[in-house]
Amino acid sequence: AAARAAPPHPPRPPEPFTVKPEQGGGVIFPPDLMHEGVAVTRGRRHVVAVFTKDGAAQTVDEKQKIRKEQYEAALAFELQAIKESVVHRMTTARKPSGS
């Protein structure tokens, strides 16, 4: 009789790491990768978000729902970036002389 092996343990999640692309560079990653952006302290960050799904298997309503979710996600990301920029400027602003 053949012996059955126990299924392998699920892979461990990767250890956190930082990616610092060169100026003008970018980062591409799968949608299921947990990630975050950090505050921009100098210059500007430009974001191009591309979301892909199998459109052939979706109804018009499903496509509209996905577009709305993508728009809301992009808007939330942009608002967070603006907030971080404002907070950074406020915390690094010079106080007027004589204060």
Side-chain angles (χ1 to χ4, degrees):
R4 290 185 125 178
H9 294 313
R12 299 175 89 194
E15 294 295 320
F17 61 95
T18 301
V19 177
K20 295 181 179 180
E22 295 179 17
Q23 183 176 357
V27 179
I28 298 174
F29 50 86
D32 58 345
L33 178 67
M34 181 74 73
H35 62 280
E36 66 179 349
V38 296
V40 174
T41 58
R42 289 184 299 160
R44 293 180 180 211
R45 174 186 299 152
H46 297 275
V47 176
V48 176
V50 178
F51 301 90
T52 61
K53 289 197 177 194
D54 182 8
Q58 298 166 354
T59 66
V60 171
D61 288 341
E62 289 171 328
K63 288 180 182 180
Q64 288 176 340
K65 180 182 176 198
I66 290 168
R67 284 189 190 112
K68 181 180 180 204
E69 290 170 353
Q70 292 171 348
Y71 172 78
E72 289 171 353
L75 183 59
F77 182 84
E78 189 64 27
L79 289 173
Q80 181 64 28
I82 292 168
K83 177 184 171 188
E84 289 175 5
S85 176
V86 169
V87 168
H88 175 73
R89 289 179 187 171
M90 291 174 66
T91 58
T92 59
R94 295 183 180 175
K95 294 182 181 179
S97 58
S99 311

